[in-house]
């Protein structure tokens, strides 16, 4: 497996971001990112390309008022600036693109965008490939909705709002969905280069270098990179769609080397894959690059935990198994790594 680290849900000045792509690239290089996902509002998706060694996935973000949807590899975007949730998912699926529900439970802040929040509307919709479970900008806005917290975050600790971890409502929806089908979980920056004006003072709140060091997605590719942007871009999107990935708060510690797999006899499989246990059992194994508090969850319920660099557990219940790792931090613990599930199913449905 070939591991890549990337940051997705980035806006440039083609829509409402503050920097152009040319200025963003060196910042991504400096942050050590292998790929970035650009999701400007209502632009056409284009093939991925390499810029200064960084693989750029040229996606889009559909809809304005509600039901924001990150889209990749779609030949033609909708002309309407607002479709219903279902129409949006269908639009992307008809063209065999990949779509991720963005910031579904965003709450907004009176200090930004006039307090507007852009939530997903229709949860009866099926067929989306992923959910953005942790959106750095949404979380930052929600945290700073109270003035004293805004001052704290702006002047003393800009990463503090992220210590709350992924959106719990979104995680619950994800755990519900993955009981029945495959859905990838990702983290997004929603990077705009957000700044706060205090009189004539302009304070950088969420700038590009800061968020490039915050929430990243790691993908595992089946083969080495080819050096051709379109091919490598497809490989990264394929890994994301397949759920061969995890996301992490890299600001705490680099999570490169995290592994979660299942084995049953000779058979070994990783995140995003399904194993049919047919009355038998399987061993789940977690390996970390540094010690942490490891939690193993089945359909969203913790079934095992261990403090250290490894965890292994034998399971026989059909469920979607995923891992969370929290790191000791200040006087408590902070959210670090969130895996995609391994799906243990009763039997293969013909
Ligand atoms: Zn959005
Ligand atoms: Zn966005």
């Amino acid at each position: 497996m070939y591991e890549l680290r990337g940051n997705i849900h980035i806006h440039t000045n083609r829509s409402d971001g503050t920097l152009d792509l040319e200025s963003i690239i060196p910042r991504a290089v400096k942050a050590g990112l292998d790929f970035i996902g650009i999701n400007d509002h209502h632009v056409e998706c284009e093939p991925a390309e390499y810029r200064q060694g960084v693989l750029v996935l040229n996606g889009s973000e559909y809809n304005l008022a509600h039901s924001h949807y990150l889209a990749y590899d779609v030949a033609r975007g909708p002309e309407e600036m607002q479709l219903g949730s279902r129409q949006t998912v269908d639009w992307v699926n008809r063209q065999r693109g990949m779509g991720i529900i963005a910031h579904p439970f965003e709450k907004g802040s009176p200090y930004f965008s006039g307090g507007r929040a852009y939530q997903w509307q229709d949860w009866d919709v099926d067929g989306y490939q992923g959910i953005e479970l942790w959106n750095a900008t949404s979380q930052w806005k929600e945290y700073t909705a109270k003035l004293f917290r805004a001052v704290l975050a702006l002047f003393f600790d800009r990463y503090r709002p992220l210590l709350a971890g992924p959106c719990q409502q979104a995680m619950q929806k994800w755990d519900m969905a993955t009981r029945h089908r495959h859905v990838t979980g990702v983290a997004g920056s929603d990077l705009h280069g957000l700044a706060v004006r205090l009189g004539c003072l302009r304070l950088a709140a969420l700038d590009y270098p800061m968020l490039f060091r915050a929430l990243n997605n790691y993908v595992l590719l089946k083969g080495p990179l080819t050096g051709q942007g379109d091919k490598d871009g497809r490989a990264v999107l394929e890994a994301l769609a397949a759920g061969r990935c995890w996301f992490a708060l890299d600001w705490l510690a680099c999570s490169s080397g995290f592994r979660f797999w299942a084995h049953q006899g000779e058979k070994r499989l990783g995140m995003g894959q399904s194993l049919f246990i047919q009355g038998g059992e399987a061993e789940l194994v977690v390996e970390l690059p540094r010690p942490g508090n490891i939690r193993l969850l089945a359909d969203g319920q913790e079934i095992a935990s261990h403090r250290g660099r490894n965890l292994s557990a034998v399971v026989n219940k059909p469920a979607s198994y995923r891992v969370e790792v929290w790191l000791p931090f200040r006087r408590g613990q902070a959210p670090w790594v969130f895996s995609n599930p391994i799906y243990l199913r009763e039997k293969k449905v013909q």
Side-chain angles (χ1 to χ4, degrees):
M1 285 287 180
Y2 297 81
E3 180 192 298
L4 298 187
R5 185 159 70 113
N7 194 291
I8 66 165
H9 197 165
I10 298 161
H11 295 274
T12 77
N13 66 356
R14 269 186 87 190
S15 63
D16 52 353
T18 50
L19 293 184
D20 59 18
L21 185 57
E22 288 310 312
S23 315
I24 291 171
I25 296 295
R27 289 163 169 83
V29 171
K30 203 168 170 194
L33 297 174
D34 300 306
F35 69 92
I36 56 174
I38 304 293
N39 298 90
D40 277 316
H41 298 280
H42 286 277
V43 296
E44 292 296 354
C45 296
E46 282 164 30
E49 57 185 331
Y50 277 106
R51 299 233 185 166
Q52 295 177 39
V54 177
L55 183 61
V56 181
L57 308 174
N58 292 303
S60 186
E61 183 175 9
Y62 298 149
N63 294 329
L64 292 180
H66 60 80
S67 303
H68 285 201
Y69 200 52
L70 306 178
Y72 293 100
D73 206 15
V74 178
R76 192 171 62 84
E79 272 155 35
E80 297 91 333
M81 296 296 205
Q82 184 62 57
L83 296 174
S85 307
R86 185 179 301 276
Q87 287 169 291
T88 312
V89 172
D90 288 348
W91 183 282
V92 171
N93 286 347
R94 272 198 301 272
Q95 299 180 68
R96 297 175 187 277
M98 179 183 153
I100 299 168
I101 294 176
H103 46 73
F105 293 99
E106 183 174 67
K107 294 186 180 62
S109 156
Y111 303 116
F112 299 99
S113 326
R116 281 190 297 277
Y118 307 94
Q119 301 191 343
W120 188 257
Q121 279 207 330
D122 183 357
W123 285 103
D124 289 334
V125 176
D126 213 351
Y128 50 87
Q129 283 73 42
I131 309 181
E132 188 184 54
L133 301 162
W134 202 353
N135 177 300
T137 299
S138 298
Q139 191 166 46
W140 215 86
K141 286 180 183 172
E142 189 181 333
Y143 182 89
T144 56
K146 292 207 166 60
L147 186 62
F148 76 94
R149 286 186 182 174
V151 171
L152 194 68
L154 265 176
F155 291 98
F156 299 103
D157 192 351
R158 289 195 294 162
Y159 289 93
R160 190 184 184 92
L162 301 179
L163 297 176
C167 167
Q168 282 311 302
Q169 284 166 290
M171 293 293 275
Q172 280 168 16
K173 286 284 181 200
W174 187 44
D175 285 327
M176 293 274 286
T178 56
R179 286 178 191 198
H180 311 291
R181 72 178 187 95
H182 184 289
V183 180
T184 297
V186 302
S189 290
D190 211 351
L191 234 171
H192 292 79
L194 194 72
V196 176
R197 282 186 198 287
L198 291 176
C200 56
L201 211 65
R202 186 180 181 278
L203 293 169
L206 296 172
D207 56 33
Y208 291 79
M210 180 225 164
L211 282 191
F212 282 164
R213 285 193 295 273
L215 300 183
N216 288 317
N217 295 279
Y218 290 73
V219 297
L220 295 172
L221 303 186
K222 286 177 176 168
L225 292 169
T226 65
Q228 295 174 42
D230 55 346
K231 274 193 185 158
D232 292 345
R234 275 181 197 283
V236 170
L237 290 178
E238 192 269 323
L240 281 172
R244 267 198 329 277
C245 51
W246 73 91
F247 54 91
L249 179 54
D250 269 350
W251 172 68
L252 288 174
C254 175
S255 67
S256 175
F258 166 77
R259 294 293 182 267
F260 173 39
W261 72 89
H263 62 86
Q264 184 186 44
E266 294 292 291
K267 238 186 279 170
R268 174 177 159 140
L269 59 138
M271 285 175 282
Q273 291 187 287
S274 301
L275 181 66
F276 304 99
I277 52 174
Q278 291 164 331
E281 53 186 29
E283 186 183 17
L284 298 174
V285 184
V286 182
E287 227 173 63
L288 300 182
R290 60 187 296 148
N293 300 327
I294 310 171
R295 304 178 64 213
L296 177 66
L297 300 99
D299 291 339
Q301 301 298 315
E302 183 177 309
I303 56 157
S305 66
H306 180 69
R307 181 176 291 194
R309 286 186 61 163
N310 306 284
L311 177 148
S312 79
V314 175
V315 295
N316 57 15
K317 183 175 153 261
S320 296
Y321 292 87
R322 64 177 182 85
V323 171
E324 295 185 1
V325 186
W326 295 64
L327 289 186
F329 186 73
R330 294 175 185 161
R331 266 165 286 169
Q333 54 177 352
W336 183 36
V337 169
F338 295 81
S339 80
N340 265 276
I342 293 174
Y343 302 85
L344 259 60
R345 300 299 189 225
E346 189 67 70
K347 59 181 179 201
K348 197 168 193 168
V349 179
Q350 297 301 317

